[in-house]
Amino acid sequence: MDAHADPHTRPGKVLAMAVVMTVLALAITALTVTGATPKTQLVSKTGSGDQIGSVSDGFGVNDSGHLVVFVTDQNDNGNGDGNFERDVYLRKVKDGSTKIVSVSSGKKIGDDDSWDPAISGQGRFVAFASSARNFSGLSNGFAQVYLRDRKTGKTSLVSRNASGAGVGSSRDPDVSANGRFVVFVSDAQLTAKPTGNIDQVYLRDRWRGRTILVSKSDAGAAGTDRSFDPRISADGRYVVYASGADNLVKASDKGFDQIYRFDRVRKKTSLISKNRYGKAGNADSEDAEISAKGKVIVYESDASNLVSGDKNGMDDIYMRKNGKTKRVSLNYRSKQLWGGGDGAENPDISLNGRWLTFESTARNATKAGNSTGYDHVYLRDLLTGKLTLVSRTGSRIGNAESGDARISGDGRFVVFRTRATNLRSPDSNGGEDDVLRRGPYR
C-alpha cells in the first residue's frame, strides 16, 4: 500500500480506483491523439485494382470518406462497360470494389456520356447528369439529371417539368443527405415562371413530386442572367448558388457574379457575397459550398471590397457566418496569401463548418513555401487556424497540378484530382488525371 494511502481503505477498493483512473486516462488520450498518420491512396482504380487511365468532370465523397464517385471514359473496368463514353463509378475504399452507377433501373449502361456526380451523406443516392437516352423514356436526347438509388436499384429522372418530361438541357446536380431534394441547373422552363431560356437553378422535391425555381427574387421573378454552381445543405433547407442576375436582391451589383442563398422554408433569397456594409462584391464570386445546416458558407471571389486590407490582387476564399464576412484562405501564419498568380480556388467545407479545403499556387502558404508553381491542395482548421498541405505523400510534394478537392462530411478525409506522378507508386498512366484520397486527419 502506498505510504500516503488511507489506512482504512481496502486493497480491493484501491485497485478498483486505479482501474477507473486508468480507463479515464485512456479515454482522454483517445480524444486528444490525432490517430493514424494520414496516408495518400489512389482511388480511381478498376475493380481489379488497376490504375484508371484518366478521370474527368467532377467527383464526390460521402460523409465518412469511404465512398468516392468519379467519372472516366475508360472501358473494361470490370463492369461490362464497353460504351466508349464517360460513365460514373463508385469506389468503396475499404473493400476495394469499383462499380458503375450511371445505369438505368434495368442496369443498362448509358448509351451516351454521364458526368457531374454528387453523392448523399450516407452514400445511398448518387445524382449525375447524362445525355444517355436509355435511362428514361421521358428524356429528350439532351443532358438531363438523374438520381440513382443504390439500395433499390432505381434510376429516376430528376430534371422534369410539371408533366414529368425532361426538356431543355440540365446538369450540375447536388443532393440532400436523405435524397429527398436535388438541385441542378437547367436552361429549360420547368415551372410556370418564364425564364427566357437562361440557365436557372431548380430544386426537385422527390417526395412531393414538385420542381421549384430557386434562382428568383422574393417577388417571384426569375433571374435575368445565368445562375450556376448550386449546392444544397445536408438538411435540405438552404441552397447556395452563383448568379449574374441583377434582380434577385436590391443590393446586387450589375455586371458581376454574386453568391446567393435561398431559404426553401421561408422562400427568401439573400445576398451572401457582401461586406460589412451590405455592399456586394466588386468582382466575380463563385464556387459556393455550404455546411450541413446552412449556417456557414464559403466561396471564391476576386472582389477586393469584401474585407479590409485585401491587397493581393488574387482570388481568395471567404466565409459568411453569423452575418459576417471573413477571409479564410490564409497561410500558416494566418496571413494573406500572395504570389503564384491564381490565389485560392475551389473551396469545400465540412458538415460542421470547421474544416476548409482549397487549392492555391501561393508561394507563402506553408513555411517551406511553394516554389513549384503548381496548384496544391490545403486543409485549414477554421477554429485553430492550422493549415495543412494535403497534396503530398510522406515528405514528397506533388510534382504537378492538384486541385478540385472535396472534403468528407466529417472532415477526416480529403479527395482531390492530380496530375502529379510522385504521390502514388507505381504511376502507370503517364501523368493523366487521377483521384486520390488523403487521411485520416484526426
PDB file of all heavy atoms in Angstrom, residues 104-128:
ATOM      1  N   SER A 104     -29.293   2.423 -65.946  1.00  0.00           N
ATOM      2  CA  SER A 104     -30.744   2.528 -65.854  1.00  0.00           C
ATOM      3  C   SER A 104     -31.255   1.647 -64.720  1.00  0.00           C
ATOM      4  O   SER A 104     -30.503   0.876 -64.107  1.00  0.00           O
ATOM      5  CB  SER A 104     -31.380   2.089 -67.169  1.00  0.00           C
ATOM      6  OG  SER A 104     -31.216   0.686 -67.345  1.00  0.00           O
ATOM      7  N   SER A 105     -32.541   1.730 -64.452  1.00  0.00           N
ATOM      8  CA  SER A 105     -33.149   0.864 -63.433  1.00  0.00           C
ATOM      9  C   SER A 105     -33.002  -0.601 -63.808  1.00  0.00           C
ATOM     10  O   SER A 105     -32.962  -1.469 -62.941  1.00  0.00           O
ATOM     11  CB  SER A 105     -34.622   1.215 -63.254  1.00  0.00           C
ATOM     12  OG  SER A 105     -34.771   2.540 -62.768  1.00  0.00           O
ATOM     13  N   GLY A 106     -32.898  -0.879 -65.097  1.00  0.00           N
ATOM     14  CA  GLY A 106     -32.678  -2.238 -65.573  1.00  0.00           C
ATOM     15  C   GLY A 106     -31.208  -2.582 -65.712  1.00  0.00           C
ATOM     16  O   GLY A 106     -30.867  -3.586 -66.358  1.00  0.00           O
ATOM     17  N   LYS A 107     -30.334  -1.736 -65.130  1.00  0.00           N
ATOM     18  CA  LYS A 107     -28.885  -1.924 -65.121  1.00  0.00           C
ATOM     19  C   LYS A 107     -28.242  -1.826 -66.500  1.00  0.00           C
ATOM     20  O   LYS A 107     -27.163  -2.370 -66.737  1.00  0.00           O
ATOM     21  CB  LYS A 107     -28.511  -3.261 -64.459  1.00  0.00           C
ATOM     22  CG  LYS A 107     -28.910  -3.355 -63.000  1.00  0.00           C
ATOM     23  CD  LYS A 107     -28.428  -4.656 -62.365  1.00  0.00           C
ATOM     24  CE  LYS A 107     -28.811  -4.709 -60.892  1.00  0.00           C
ATOM     25  NZ  LYS A 107     -28.343  -5.951 -60.241  1.00  0.00           N
ATOM     26  N   LYS A 108     -28.913  -1.098 -67.398  1.00  0.00           N
ATOM     27  CA  LYS A 108     -28.318  -0.858 -68.710  1.00  0.00           C
ATOM     28  C   LYS A 108     -27.326   0.299 -68.616  1.00  0.00           C
ATOM     29  O   LYS A 108     -27.644   1.345 -68.060  1.00  0.00           O
ATOM     30  CB  LYS A 108     -29.396  -0.534 -69.738  1.00  0.00           C
ATOM     31  CG  LYS A 108     -30.311  -1.704 -70.061  1.00  0.00           C
ATOM     32  CD  LYS A 108     -31.322  -1.307 -71.133  1.00  0.00           C
ATOM     33  CE  LYS A 108     -32.227  -2.481 -71.492  1.00  0.00           C
ATOM     34  NZ  LYS A 108     -33.237  -2.092 -72.529  1.00  0.00           N
ATOM     35  N   ILE A 109     -26.134   0.099 -69.177  1.00  0.00           N
ATOM     36  CA  ILE A 109     -25.127   1.150 -69.198  1.00  0.00           C
ATOM     37  C   ILE A 109     -25.536   2.216 -70.210  1.00  0.00           C
ATOM     38  O   ILE A 109     -26.097   1.914 -71.266  1.00  0.00           O
ATOM     39  CB  ILE A 109     -23.749   0.561 -69.539  1.00  0.00           C
ATOM     40  CG1 ILE A 109     -23.303  -0.375 -68.418  1.00  0.00           C
ATOM     41  CG2 ILE A 109     -22.710   1.659 -69.752  1.00  0.00           C
ATOM     42  CD1 ILE A 109     -22.039  -1.125 -68.711  1.00  0.00           C
ATOM     43  N   GLY A 110     -25.284   3.488 -69.870  1.00  0.00           N
ATOM     44  CA  GLY A 110     -25.725   4.586 -70.712  1.00  0.00           C
ATOM     45  C   GLY A 110     -25.181   4.514 -72.133  1.00  0.00           C
ATOM     46  O   GLY A 110     -24.036   4.108 -72.350  1.00  0.00           O
ATOM     47  N   ASP A 111     -26.010   4.953 -73.086  1.00  0.00           N
ATOM     48  CA  ASP A 111     -25.584   4.967 -74.484  1.00  0.00           C
ATOM     49  C   ASP A 111     -24.972   6.306 -74.880  1.00  0.00           C
ATOM     50  O   ASP A 111     -24.738   6.557 -76.052  1.00  0.00           O
ATOM     51  CB  ASP A 111     -26.751   4.614 -75.414  1.00  0.00           C
ATOM     52  CG  ASP A 111     -27.944   5.550 -75.251  1.00  0.00           C
ATOM     53  OD1 ASP A 111     -27.794   6.602 -74.581  1.00  0.00           O
ATOM     54  OD2 ASP A 111     -29.015   5.239 -75.794  1.00  0.00           O
ATOM     55  N   ASP A 112     -24.720   7.157 -73.885  1.00  0.00           N
ATOM     56  CA  ASP A 112     -24.032   8.426 -74.115  1.00  0.00           C
ATOM     57  C   ASP A 112     -23.354   8.840 -72.808  1.00  0.00           C
ATOM     58  O   ASP A 112     -23.427   8.120 -71.811  1.00  0.00           O
ATOM     59  CB  ASP A 112     -25.017   9.492 -74.594  1.00  0.00           C
ATOM     60  CG  ASP A 112     -24.356  10.550 -75.485  1.00  0.00           C
ATOM     61  OD1 ASP A 112     -23.129  10.771 -75.325  1.00  0.00           O
ATOM     62  OD2 ASP A 112     -25.055  11.160 -76.314  1.00  0.00           O
ATOM     63  N   ASP A 113     -22.717  10.003 -72.816  1.00  0.00           N
ATOM     64  CA  ASP A 113     -21.927  10.450 -71.668  1.00  0.00           C
ATOM     65  C   ASP A 113     -22.754  10.663 -70.400  1.00  0.00           C
ATOM     66  O   ASP A 113     -23.901  11.123 -70.451  1.00  0.00           O
ATOM     67  CB  ASP A 113     -21.235  11.773 -71.998  1.00  0.00           C
ATOM     68  CG  ASP A 113     -20.075  11.609 -72.957  1.00  0.00           C
ATOM     69  OD1 ASP A 113     -19.502  10.506 -73.005  1.00  0.00           O
ATOM     70  OD2 ASP A 113     -19.741  12.584 -73.656  1.00  0.00           O
ATOM     71  N   SER A 114     -22.114  10.396 -69.243  1.00  0.00           N
ATOM     72  CA  SER A 114     -22.630  10.747 -67.918  1.00  0.00           C
ATOM     73  C   SER A 114     -21.508  11.444 -67.157  1.00  0.00           C
ATOM     74  O   SER A 114     -20.339  11.075 -67.291  1.00  0.00           O
ATOM     75  CB  SER A 114     -23.090   9.503 -67.149  1.00  0.00           C
ATOM     76  OG  SER A 114     -24.160   8.862 -67.809  1.00  0.00           O
ATOM     77  N   TRP A 115     -21.865  12.438 -66.322  1.00  0.00           N
ATOM     78  CA  TRP A 115     -20.835  13.235 -65.631  1.00  0.00           C
ATOM     79  C   TRP A 115     -21.469  13.967 -64.443  1.00  0.00           C
ATOM     80  O   TRP A 115     -22.619  13.736 -64.096  1.00  0.00           O
ATOM     81  CB  TRP A 115     -20.184  14.218 -66.622  1.00  0.00           C
ATOM     82  CG  TRP A 115     -21.087  15.301 -67.140  1.00  0.00           C
ATOM     83  CD1 TRP A 115     -21.206  16.566 -66.657  1.00  0.00           C
ATOM     84  CD2 TRP A 115     -22.013  15.206 -68.236  1.00  0.00           C
ATOM     85  NE1 TRP A 115     -22.140  17.280 -67.369  1.00  0.00           N
ATOM     86  CE2 TRP A 115     -22.646  16.464 -68.356  1.00  0.00           C
ATOM     87  CE3 TRP A 115     -22.370  14.185 -69.123  1.00  0.00           C
ATOM     88  CZ2 TRP A 115     -23.624  16.720 -69.321  1.00  0.00           C
ATOM     89  CZ3 TRP A 115     -23.336  14.450 -70.083  1.00  0.00           C
ATOM     90  CH2 TRP A 115     -23.949  15.688 -70.182  1.00  0.00           C
ATOM     91  N   ASP A 116     -20.709  14.852 -63.812  1.00  0.00           N
ATOM     92  CA  ASP A 116     -21.175  15.696 -62.692  1.00  0.00           C
ATOM     93  C   ASP A 116     -21.791  14.887 -61.546  1.00  0.00           C
ATOM     94  O   ASP A 116     -22.910  15.174 -61.106  1.00  0.00           O
ATOM     95  CB  ASP A 116     -22.215  16.714 -63.178  1.00  0.00           C
ATOM     96  CG  ASP A 116     -21.599  17.922 -63.841  1.00  0.00           C
ATOM     97  OD1 ASP A 116     -20.365  18.069 -63.780  1.00  0.00           O
ATOM     98  OD2 ASP A 116     -22.357  18.730 -64.430  1.00  0.00           O
ATOM     99  N   PRO A 117     -21.101  13.889 -60.988  1.00  0.00           N
ATOM    100  CA  PRO A 117     -21.717  13.105 -59.914  1.00  0.00           C
ATOM    101  C   PRO A 117     -21.722  13.843 -58.566  1.00  0.00           C
ATOM    102  O   PRO A 117     -20.823  14.630 -58.261  1.00  0.00           O
ATOM    103  CB  PRO A 117     -20.826  11.865 -59.837  1.00  0.00           C
ATOM    104  CG  PRO A 117     -19.477  12.371 -60.261  1.00  0.00           C
ATOM    105  CD  PRO A 117     -19.752  13.407 -61.320  1.00  0.00           C
ATOM    106  N   ALA A 118     -22.732  13.570 -57.780  1.00  0.00           N
ATOM    107  CA  ALA A 118     -22.827  14.043 -56.391  1.00  0.00           C
ATOM    108  C   ALA A 118     -23.396  12.905 -55.570  1.00  0.00           C
ATOM    109  O   ALA A 118     -24.331  12.221 -56.012  1.00  0.00           O
ATOM    110  CB  ALA A 118     -23.717  15.284 -56.287  1.00  0.00           C
ATOM    111  N   ILE A 119     -22.862  12.681 -54.373  1.00  0.00           N
ATOM    112  CA  ILE A 119     -23.260  11.550 -53.544  1.00  0.00           C
ATOM    113  C   ILE A 119     -23.845  12.051 -52.228  1.00  0.00           C
ATOM    114  O   ILE A 119     -23.381  13.043 -51.667  1.00  0.00           O
ATOM    115  CB  ILE A 119     -22.065  10.599 -53.300  1.00  0.00           C
ATOM    116  CG1 ILE A 119     -22.521   9.301 -52.622  1.00  0.00           C
ATOM    117  CG2 ILE A 119     -20.959  11.280 -52.525  1.00  0.00           C
ATOM    118  CD1 ILE A 119     -21.450   8.210 -52.612  1.00  0.00           C
ATOM    119  N   SER A 120     -24.875  11.386 -51.744  1.00  0.00           N
ATOM    120  CA  SER A 120     -25.512  11.770 -50.482  1.00  0.00           C
ATOM    121  C   SER A 120     -24.625  11.388 -49.306  1.00  0.00           C
ATOM    122  O   SER A 120     -23.663  10.628 -49.447  1.00  0.00           O
ATOM    123  CB  SER A 120     -26.886  11.115 -50.348  1.00  0.00           C
ATOM    124  OG  SER A 120     -26.769   9.700 -50.320  1.00  0.00           O
ATOM    125  N   GLY A 121     -24.965  11.893 -48.128  1.00  0.00           N
ATOM    126  CA  GLY A 121     -24.122  11.724 -46.948  1.00  0.00           C
ATOM    127  C   GLY A 121     -23.791  10.291 -46.603  1.00  0.00           C
ATOM    128  O   GLY A 121     -22.630   9.950 -46.319  1.00  0.00           O
ATOM    129  N   GLN A 122     -24.784   9.415 -46.616  1.00  0.00           N
ATOM    130  CA  GLN A 122     -24.555   8.012 -46.298  1.00  0.00           C
ATOM    131  C   GLN A 122     -24.180   7.189 -47.525  1.00  0.00           C
ATOM    132  O   GLN A 122     -23.850   6.010 -47.401  1.00  0.00           O
ATOM    133  CB  GLN A 122     -25.802   7.414 -45.634  1.00  0.00           C
ATOM    134  CG  GLN A 122     -26.165   8.063 -44.302  1.00  0.00           C
ATOM    135  CD  GLN A 122     -25.049   7.938 -43.286  1.00  0.00           C
ATOM    136  OE1 GLN A 122     -24.489   6.859 -43.079  1.00  0.00           O
ATOM    137  NE2 GLN A 122     -24.716   9.050 -42.636  1.00  0.00           N
ATOM    138  N   GLY A 123     -24.276   7.799 -48.693  1.00  0.00           N
ATOM    139  CA  GLY A 123     -23.852   7.111 -49.914  1.00  0.00           C
ATOM    140  C   GLY A 123     -24.929   6.338 -50.630  1.00  0.00           C
ATOM    141  O   GLY A 123     -24.660   5.682 -51.630  1.00  0.00           O
ATOM    142  N   ARG A 124     -26.182   6.439 -50.154  1.00  0.00           N
ATOM    143  CA  ARG A 124     -27.249   5.673 -50.800  1.00  0.00           C
ATOM    144  C   ARG A 124     -27.594   6.250 -52.171  1.00  0.00           C
ATOM    145  O   ARG A 124     -27.867   5.498 -53.117  1.00  0.00           O
ATOM    146  CB  ARG A 124     -28.498   5.663 -49.925  1.00  0.00           C
ATOM    147  CG  ARG A 124     -29.702   5.029 -50.603  1.00  0.00           C
ATOM    148  CD  ARG A 124     -30.905   4.906 -49.683  1.00  0.00           C
ATOM    149  NE  ARG A 124     -32.081   4.454 -50.399  1.00  0.00           N
ATOM    150  CZ  ARG A 124     -33.246   4.174 -49.847  1.00  0.00           C
ATOM    151  NH1 ARG A 124     -33.386   4.295 -48.525  1.00  0.00           N
ATOM    152  NH2 ARG A 124     -34.284   3.768 -50.568  1.00  0.00           N
ATOM    153  N   PHE A 125     -27.583   7.563 -52.303  1.00  0.00           N
ATOM    154  CA  PHE A 125     -28.027   8.217 -53.531  1.00  0.00           C
ATOM    155  C   PHE A 125     -26.851   8.851 -54.281  1.00  0.00           C
ATOM    156  O   PHE A 125     -25.983   9.471 -53.674  1.00  0.00           O
ATOM    157  CB  PHE A 125     -29.062   9.297 -53.220  1.00  0.00           C
ATOM    158  CG  PHE A 125     -30.289   8.771 -52.527  1.00  0.00           C
ATOM    159  CD1 PHE A 125     -30.402   8.847 -51.144  1.00  0.00           C
ATOM    160  CD2 PHE A 125     -31.321   8.201 -53.250  1.00  0.00           C
ATOM    161  CE1 PHE A 125     -31.525   8.370 -50.491  1.00  0.00           C
ATOM    162  CE2 PHE A 125     -32.455   7.709 -52.606  1.00  0.00           C
ATOM    163  CZ  PHE A 125     -32.556   7.793 -51.224  1.00  0.00           C
ATOM    164  N   VAL A 126     -26.871   8.705 -55.602  1.00  0.00           N
ATOM    165  CA  VAL A 126     -25.893   9.356 -56.459  1.00  0.00           C
ATOM    166  C   VAL A 126     -26.655  10.099 -57.559  1.00  0.00           C
ATOM    167  O   VAL A 126     -27.387   9.486 -58.333  1.00  0.00           O
ATOM    168  CB  VAL A 126     -24.916   8.361 -57.097  1.00  0.00           C
ATOM    169  CG1 VAL A 126     -23.938   9.090 -58.017  1.00  0.00           C
ATOM    170  CG2 VAL A 126     -24.151   7.593 -56.025  1.00  0.00           C
ATOM    171  N   ALA A 127     -26.480  11.423 -57.589  1.00  0.00           N
ATOM    172  CA  ALA A 127     -27.067  12.237 -58.660  1.00  0.00           C
ATOM    173  C   ALA A 127     -26.007  12.483 -59.726  1.00  0.00           C
ATOM    174  O   ALA A 127     -24.821  12.595 -59.417  1.00  0.00           O
ATOM    175  CB  ALA A 127     -27.586  13.553 -58.093  1.00  0.00           C
ATOM    176  N   PHE A 128     -26.430  12.567 -60.970  1.00  0.00           N
ATOM    177  CA  PHE A 128     -25.481  12.820 -62.051  1.00  0.00           C
ATOM    178  C   PHE A 128     -26.223  13.368 -63.258  1.00  0.00           C
ATOM    179  O   PHE A 128     -27.461  13.258 -63.367  1.00  0.00           O
ATOM    180  CB  PHE A 128     -24.716  11.541 -62.421  1.00  0.00           C
ATOM    181  CG  PHE A 128     -25.589  10.406 -62.894  1.00  0.00           C
ATOM    182  CD1 PHE A 128     -25.843  10.210 -64.244  1.00  0.00           C
ATOM    183  CD2 PHE A 128     -26.147   9.515 -61.979  1.00  0.00           C
ATOM    184  CE1 PHE A 128     -26.646   9.159 -64.672  1.00  0.00           C
ATOM    185  CE2 PHE A 128     -26.950   8.464 -62.396  1.00  0.00           C
ATOM    186  CZ  PHE A 128     -27.201   8.283 -63.749  1.00  0.00           C
TER     187      PHE A 128
END
